[in-house]
Amino acid sequence: MRRSPGRAERPRRVRPAPAVVHRAVRVTTAACAGFYTFRYGLDRPVSATYALFAAVALGVLARVEGSARTRARTIVWTLPAAWALVCLGTVLAVHSWAAALGMVGVGFAVSYGSVGGPRMVGLANGLQLLYILPCFPPYSPDTLPQRLLGVTAGLLLLATAELLLWPEPAPPDYRGRLARAALALAELADLAADACAGRPAAPAAVTAAADRARARLDELRFSRVPVMERPAGAGAVDRALTHCAAALRYAGPQVLRILRLARPYPGAARLTAVTAQALRAAAAGLPRAGPVPDTGALDRELAAFDAARAALPAESDRVRPALGTAALDSAEGARFVVRAVRVGRRAPLPPDETPADQRPGPFWYAYDPAPLLWWRRFRANLTPRSVAFRNALRTAGALGAARLLAGGLDLSHGFWVLLATLTLMRTSAADTRMTLRPALVGTALGAAATAAVLLAVGEHPLVYALALPPVMLIAFTAGPALGQAWGQGLFTLVVALVFTQLAPASWRLAEARVVNVAAGAAIGLLAGLCAWPRGGAQDLRRRTAGLLEDSADALRETVAVLTGTGRPGGALRRARTSALLTEAMYAQYRCERHDPAGDGPSWQAAVLAGQHAVRGAEPLLARIPPGTAAPHRGGARALLGHAEEVAGAFRRQAAALRAREPAGAAHPAVARARAALVAELDGGPAPGSDGRVSLHAVDVAVWLAGLLDDLQQIHEPGRQSR
C-alpha cells in the first residue's frame, strides 16, 4: 500500500512545551523590566546592562529547577556569589593578563563546584557570565556600585517573576521514583512469599509483576534520571537516597531468585512476607510528610529465621540452603532500604547500627557533620580520574585562552567570545564539532538580519525599545524548541537590540558578533581536541576496568574477613569510591554521541557488577561475625579458593576491557568458575560441621555465584554498548 505523497514528506510542526514558553515569559519580563527602569527611568545604562544580563544568566544560561518557591529561593541564594564575581571581574579588568588569570580561577572553581550536586551544575554557566561581563574594558571601578545595583535588581526581579508568573508545581522528584520501585518490589515479594507458602501464583501474574519491578528499578539509574532530579549532593540526605536506590537494585535480583527456587518453606515464606511489609513501609516513609519507617519487625523475623535455619540439619533437598540465603539477602536489602530512608528523613539510626569500633560502615555519612561530608566530596574528586575535575580544567583553560585572545586582539564586545566558548564547548571534540555548524550558521543568519535592521531603522532607539520584548520572547522560546541555529540567530538579534539602546551602532555590530562567535567556537573546539578529546568513551573503558579490579580486591578481602584469614584493609572503601567515579563517568558517556551499534560491552552491566560486589559485601559483613563463615580450615580454604576464582574472573574481565577484546572473550573462564561454585552449592552444607556455620558459607558462596552471573551479562548478546 502506497503512502500519500505529500503527507509523508511534510515537515513535522514543532510546538514548544508550555514550560519553555512560561520560562521565556518570566525571563523576558524580568530582563526588560530591569533594563527599561534603569535605562529610561533612572538614566543609568550600566545598571540597565547588568540587570538585563543577570536575568538572562540565571534564567536562560543556568538551569534552575524545582517548584516556583525553590527556584526563587535558589536565585536569591546566588546573590552573594553574584556580587563576589562582579567585584572580582571589575577589579581584574585592569589588565588582560589579570582578567585571564581570574577567568581561569573562576572557571575552574565554578565548574568544579558541580561535584556539590546538580544544583551547582545548573548554575555554573550563569555564574560564569557574571564574571565574564565585568572583566572586559572599560576598566571602571567607580561604576561598581551601579553594577552591583543592576545585578541585584535583575536577580530579584527574576525571583519575583518565578513566584508570580505561571508558578509551576514541583516536578516529580527522586523520592517518588524510589517509592514506586519499593512498592513494585513489595508486590513481587508478596508473590515470592506465597510461592514459598505453597500458594504459587499464575506464571503470567509473576511475569507481569517481575517486569513491573524491573522497569521501576531501571528508572532509578542516574542515566535515566534528568540531571536536576538526581540526588547527587554531598550531604547525608542525598547520599542516603542514592544508597536506598542501590539497596533496592540489590534486593530485586534476590526476590527473583526466591521465585526461581521457590518450594514449600514456611520460614522463608514468613521472612519474605515481612520483607514486603518493610518495603511498603519504606515507600510510605520516602515522602517528607510520610511516617518514618522502622526495622523492628524485620529485625525480629531475621533473627528468628536465622536461628531456626541454623537449628535445621543438613537437608536432602539441596535447594533449601540457597533458597534460605536468597530470603536472607532480600530481607537484608529491605533492611538497608529502611535504614537509608531513615537517614534520608534525618531520623536517628538504632544505637547498635554501626558500633564505633566498626566504622566506617555503610551509613558512615549519617554520623559526620555536613561540612566534613562536603570537604570529603571535593577532596575525593581532586584527581584526573574525576569527570568533574577534568571538565573544570577544560573549561578553565578554554575560558582563560578566550579572554587572552579577546584582550590581545582588542575585539569589540569581546565577552561574546567567552560566551560562545562557554555555551558551545562540550565534553568531547566530536560533540563540540557537532555544535559548530548550527551555531555558526545561526549566528551568520542572525547577523545578516541584524545588519538589515540597523541599516533600515538607523538611530531610532524607540523602535529598538519596542522591538526588544517580542524578539526576546521569541528567541527564548524558539531556541529550545527549534534547535541551536535558531537560538544563536535570534540571540544575535536580541543583543543587537540591547546595545543599540546603550550607544549608537552600525551594521559593524553584526560583523563583530559573527567574528566573536567564530573565535569562541574555535577555542572551544581546540580545547576539546587538546584536553581529553574522546570525552567519556575512552575513559569509561579504563575507569570500568579499574572498578572491576577494585571489586576483585574488595570481594577477596571480604571473604578473608568472614573466614578469619584476613583483616579489613580498606579495599571495600576503595571499591565504593571507584563505583561512584565510574557512575559519574557512565552518566557523562550517556550524554555524549556514540555509536550504539558497536560490538562493545554493556557498560551498564559492568557498573552493576561492581555495585553488587560492594552492596553484597555490606550485608554479609553486617550479619556474619568475622571468622565464622567457614566450618573448619578446609572450609575456609575452599571459600578462599572460590573467592580467588571470582576475583580472577573480575580481573580477566578488566583486562579484556583494557585490551578491547571482542565480546565473549572472558566467558569460558567465568562459566568454569561458576560451574564449580554451583556444584559446591548443590552439595549442601559441609559434612561434619554445625548447620549455622555451614549455612553462612552457603551465603557467601551464593553471593560469589551471583557476581559471576553479573560478569556474564557484560558481553551478553543484545546488551552491547549500553
Side-chain angles (χ1 to χ4, degrees):
M1 181 177 178
R2 298 182 60 183
R3 292 182 300 178
S4 175
R7 184 171 301 176
E9 290 78 8
R10 185 177 300 166
R12 186 178 58 182
R13 294 182 179 179
V14 179
R15 295 183 178 179
V20 173
V21 178
H22 297 169
R23 185 179 65 176
V25 170
R26 290 193 291 267
V27 176
T28 300
T29 302
C32 291
F35 182 77
Y36 290 145
T37 299
F38 286 111
R39 178 65 185 92
Y40 297 107
L42 302 176
D43 193 22
R44 293 193 174 186
V46 173
S47 297
T49 303
Y50 280 80
L52 184 142
F53 279 102
V56 171
L58 271 294
V60 178
L61 294 183
R63 295 175 58 186
V64 182
E65 302 291 344
S67 65
R69 288 181 176 271
T70 301
R71 294 195 303 271
R73 186 166 54 247
T74 302
I75 292 169
V76 173
W77 282 351
T78 61
L79 271 173
W83 294 333
L85 291 171
V86 171
C87 291
L88 188 62
T90 301
V91 172
L92 295 181
V94 61
H95 296 296
S96 290
W97 62 266
L101 287 177
M103 188 71 259
V104 171
V106 170
F108 180 84
V110 173
S111 297
Y112 186 68
S114 63
V115 301
R119 184 171 297 178
M120 285 301 300
V121 174
L123 291 173
N125 281 358
L127 292 177
Q128 300 275 20
L129 180 59
L130 294 177
Y131 173 85
I132 291 172
L133 188 61
C135 80
F136 278 91
Y139 173 62
S140 303
D142 55 303
T143 63
L144 180 58
Q146 298 182 46
R147 294 179 176 185
L148 294 176
L149 177 62
V151 167
T152 304
L155 294 185
L156 291 179
L157 284 170
L158 181 61
T160 303
E162 294 286 355
L163 291 173
L164 301 181
L165 296 179
W166 279 308
E168 298 166 12
D173 61 359
Y174 199 72
R175 290 175 181 268
R177 292 173 179 259
L178 289 171
R180 290 192 295 271
L183 289 175
L185 195 55
E187 178 188 3
L188 194 64
D190 281 334
L191 295 177
D194 290 342
C196 292
R199 303 186 302 273
V206 174
T207 301
D211 289 343
R212 282 194 297 272
R214 290 191 189 98
R216 295 302 189 189
L217 292 173
D218 202 51
E219 290 178 359
L220 300 179
R221 307 192 195 286
F222 274 13
S223 59
R224 305 292 178 88
V225 181
V227 174
M228 303 304 292
E229 294 182 24
R230 298 173 184 172
V237 172
D238 277 6
R239 290 178 188 266
L241 295 179
T242 303
H243 199 163
C244 181
L248 284 170
R249 291 201 300 268
Y250 175 77
Q254 314 310 320
V255 176
L256 291 173
R257 184 176 288 120
I258 296 173
L259 285 167
R260 288 197 301 269
L261 300 175
R263 59 193 58 206
Y265 192 165
R270 288 193 300 271
L271 179 59
T272 307
V274 176
T275 297
Q277 295 172 9
L279 290 171
R280 287 194 175 87
L286 277 162
R288 292 178 176 86
V292 178
D294 186 74
T295 60
L298 186 57
D299 288 340
R300 290 190 294 271
E301 190 62 37
L302 269 169
F305 179 79
D306 209 12
R309 185 169 175 247
L312 290 176
E315 299 281 351
S316 57
D317 183 359
R318 301 306 187 189
V319 177
R320 288 255 182 125
L323 177 57
T325 297
L328 275 173
D329 285 344
S330 63
E332 288 286 359
R335 181 162 63 173
F336 268 53
V337 170
V338 172
R339 289 175 173 171
V341 171
R342 289 184 64 85
V343 176
R345 293 289 304 278
R346 303 186 186 277
L349 289 171
D352 60 345
E353 162 59 25
T354 304
D357 60 345
Q358 295 183 17
R359 295 179 191 171
F363 296 104
W364 57 269
Y365 49 83
Y367 304 93
D368 291 337
L372 181 58
L373 294 176
W374 282 84
W375 164 244
R376 285 178 173 174
R377 169 68 65 83
F378 282 106
R379 185 183 62 184
N381 281 272
L382 281 174
T383 169
R385 297 180 301 165
S386 168
V387 172
F389 180 79
R390 289 161 44 166
N391 288 342
L393 282 182
R394 183 191 294 113
T395 300
L399 292 178
R403 180 61 185 86
L404 278 178
L405 176 67
L409 299 181
D410 195 21
L411 297 176
S412 61
H413 303 289
F415 77 94
W416 287 344
V417 179
L418 277 77
L419 186 58
T421 301
L422 183 65
T423 56
L424 299 181
M425 187 171 58
R426 299 294 185 266
T427 57
S428 70
D431 280 3
T432 304
R433 283 197 303 270
M434 292 294 292
T435 65
L436 288 182
R437 181 177 177 181
L440 294 178
V441 169
T443 301
L445 293 176
T450 298
V453 170
L454 293 175
L455 289 173
V457 176
E459 297 184 8
H460 293 86
L462 180 60
V463 176
Y464 302 126
L466 293 175
L468 178 60
V471 173
M472 184 178 288
L473 179 61
I474 294 172
F476 295 156
T477 303
L482 300 179
Q484 194 167 42
W486 283 89
Q488 287 288 339
L490 290 169
F491 189 69
T492 298
L493 188 56
V494 167
V495 295
L497 294 176
V498 171
F499 283 105
T500 51
Q501 298 178 64
L502 298 172
S506 67
W507 65 272
R508 293 278 184 184
L509 181 66
E511 179 187 36
R513 168 73 177 166
V514 174
V515 171
N516 291 345
V517 170
I523 292 173
L525 177 60
L526 289 175
L529 289 173
C530 296
W532 300 285
R534 300 190 66 176
Q538 171 67 18
D539 296 299
L540 180 62
R541 180 178 297 276
R542 182 165 53 249
R543 182 64 260 153
T544 305
L547 171 62
L548 295 179
E549 291 167 348
D550 292 337
S551 300
D553 295 337
L555 69 90
R556 189 187 182 285
E557 179 183 283
T558 299
V559 175
V561 171
L562 295 177
T563 56
T565 57
R567 300 180 63 183
L572 188 58
R573 178 189 290 184
R574 290 192 295 272
R576 284 195 200 105
T577 302
S578 184
L580 292 174
L581 292 172
T582 308
E583 289 167 10
M585 186 71 71
Y586 176 64
Q588 174 176 308
Y589 170 80
R590 294 282 301 190
C591 296
E592 296 173 351
R593 293 179 176 85
H594 52 85
D595 182 13
D599 60 351
S602 169
W603 300 115
Q604 181 173 283
V607 173
L608 282 178
Q611 289 177 335
H612 287 172
V614 174
R615 301 308 177 194
E618 290 170 344
L620 289 175
L621 291 170
R623 185 174 76 239
I624 302 176
T628 64
H632 44 67
R633 291 183 179 179
R637 285 196 299 270
L639 273 182
L640 282 175
H642 290 313
E644 287 289 355
E645 291 177 353
V646 178
F650 268 75
R651 293 190 180 97
R652 283 190 295 271
Q653 189 64 268
L657 290 179
R658 293 184 188 277
R660 297 176 176 271
E661 292 184 6
H667 279 195
V670 174
R672 285 194 298 271
R674 189 186 185 285
L677 195 52
V678 171
E680 181 89 5
L681 286 172
D682 289 343
S689 62
D690 65 81
R692 179 179 178 83
V693 174
S694 299
L695 289 173
H696 281 168
V698 172
D699 295 345
V700 176
V702 168
W703 170 56
L704 294 176
L707 294 180
L708 290 174
D709 289 340
D710 293 335
L711 283 184
Q712 286 185 315
Q713 295 179 9
I714 295 177
H715 289 291
E716 187 176 295
R719 299 173 62 95
Q720 272 70 22
S721 298
R722 294 190 307 175

